[in-house]
Amino acid sequence: SSSLSVPQFILKWGTLGTDNGQFNRPVGVAVDSNRNVYVVDSGGHNSSGNYRIQKFDASGNFISKWGNAGTGNGLLTGAKGIAIDANDNIYVGTLSEYGVEYIQKFDSSGNFIARIGDPMTGLRSLMGGATFFDITVDGNGNIYVADAGVDKIFKYNSLGNLLLVWGSSGGGDGQFNTPRGIAIDTESNVYVADSYNSRVQKFDSSGNFLMKWGVNGFGDGQFTQAFGVYVDTAGYVYVTSRGDGNDSVQRFSKEGSFISKIGNSRGGNDGQFSNSEGITVDTHGDVYVADTDNYRIQKFK
């Protein structure tokens, strides 16, 4: 995509179901260095989900899958956020047997490698209700977690040691109301989709507040709920917004200036979304959106 053009719909795949290439509420999407697409196909915490990761090529052709219901290593009940590091390792936020959220690390074939942050200090138990959270990994392998239940950001090193926590509940700078998306740019600045504050906040890698943009609304640069966020290699920031009348993907400069928008209302047509959550961009600048309640992935160029 050129920097100022509106990405155009080129491809979609998926329907509701349990077969290969079908989804039950796909919530997260990520792309590796070979442009393979990984989808968190979860169905949520409290429904009969698929509890798996599916892997596709860049054209949406099914490659493989892994995971099942359960809370042991390699099992994916409660799977939500997904991130991929520089070595194409896959990080997925999941549940432990104690109802505590943690991260599982897999290789690109789905082989379990490690459990990180178990239990993740401060992350609330899901016994009291589902917490949405997202993860991202920087170039040094540090892992950042947006926890919507406690309105905090957690930073771990590549070994899973807790390095930093920031944030509190509220509407001020550096405060959050249900942060649901997190992304990092090439300069290790951190972007948080601060959902019910209807904005994006930007921090340095030490958690210092830098800037914010967005207000509640339906116009350009406005959000009903800011949900997913991703920063591409050119520094453009993509944000999914959901809510009746404003299901869209918006693109901004890294300073928060509005550039373009895909979609603007809920629907099932090409280029429309229904409660889309995850978003990612590959090395060619193609955009992939987890169109959650339409049970599909949409791709734009």
Side-chain angles (χ1 to χ4, degrees), residues 21-196:
Q22 294 185 313
F23 303 109
N24 185 350
R25 301 195 76 251
V27 293
V29 61
V31 179
D32 70 14
S33 63
N34 297 310
R35 301 178 74 209
N36 295 311
V37 183
Y38 301 77
V39 180
V40 181
D41 179 21
S42 74
H45 295 294
N46 300 315
S47 60
S48 55
N50 287 338
Y51 306 121
R52 64 187 180 183
I53 305 297
Q54 294 195 70
K55 180 179 178 179
F56 303 88
D57 67 17
S59 298
N61 297 304
F62 175 85
I63 296 174
S64 63
K65 64 186 175 187
W66 73 88
N68 213 319
T71 54
N73 293 343
L75 300 177
L76 294 172
T77 290
K80 284 289 191 180
I82 185 169
I84 299 180
D85 69 15
N87 298 314
D88 286 338
N89 295 307
I90 316 296
Y91 300 78
V92 183
T94 49
L95 270 180
S96 79
E97 58 271 32
Y98 308 109
V100 175
E101 293 167 331
Y102 63 104
I103 291 169
Q104 294 189 69
K105 180 179 180 179
F106 301 91
D107 68 19
S108 59
S109 298
N111 298 303
F112 174 84
I113 297 174
R115 205 187 257 219
I116 295 170
D118 180 27
M120 293 172 72
T121 307
L123 297 188
R124 77 171 185 179
S125 165
L126 280 177
M127 298 306 179
T131 295
F132 187 101
F133 71 102
D134 194 19
I135 51 184
T136 192
V137 183
D138 70 16
N140 297 315
N142 296 309
I143 303 158
Y144 299 78
V145 180
D147 187 277
V150 294
D151 293 325
K152 295 181 187 302
I153 307 300
F154 295 79
K155 179 180 179 179
Y156 296 83
N157 67 14
S158 59
L159 300 176
N161 298 312
L162 183 64
L163 301 178
L164 186 65
V165 182
W166 78 88
S168 60
S169 299
D173 295 348
Q175 295 184 316
F176 304 107
N177 185 351
T178 319
R180 283 183 164 134
I182 191 166
I184 200 154
D185 67 18
T186 55
E187 298 166 333
S188 293
N189 295 309
V190 180
Y191 301 75
V192 179
D194 185 10
S195 182
Y196 288 119

Side-chain angles (χ1 to χ4, degrees), residues 1-5 184-187 189 191 202 230-238 251-257 259 280-287:
S1 308
S2 69
S3 60
L4 296 176
S5 67
I184 200 154
D185 67 18
T186 55
E187 298 166 333
N189 295 309
Y191 301 75
K202 181 177 177 180
Y230 189 83
V231 186
D232 70 14
T233 53
Y236 295 108
V237 184
Y238 297 77
R251 178 166 50 173
F252 301 88
S253 72
K254 58 186 176 182
E255 289 79 39
S257 299
I259 297 173
T280 193
V281 183
D282 71 15
T283 51
H284 291 211
D286 296 347
V287 181

Side-chain angles (χ1 to χ4, degrees), residues 207-279:
N208 298 303
F209 175 84
L210 299 177
M211 63 169 297
K212 63 188 174 188
W213 71 87
V215 295
N216 186 268
F218 302 97
D220 295 346
Q222 298 179 332
F223 311 106
T224 38
Q225 294 178 43
F227 222 93
V229 61
Y230 189 83
V231 186
D232 70 14
T233 53
Y236 295 108
V237 184
Y238 297 77
V239 185
T240 62
S241 179
R242 56 187 260 182
D244 288 317
N246 196 18
D247 274 69
S248 63
V249 174
Q250 297 186 63
R251 178 166 50 173
F252 301 88
S253 72
K254 58 186 176 182
E255 289 79 39
S257 299
F258 174 84
I259 297 173
S260 60
K261 178 187 280 192
I262 306 168
N264 58 14
S265 63
R266 185 165 297 176
N269 296 329
D270 296 348
Q272 290 184 317
F273 309 102
S274 180
N275 288 332
S276 56
E277 295 192 10
I279 185 167

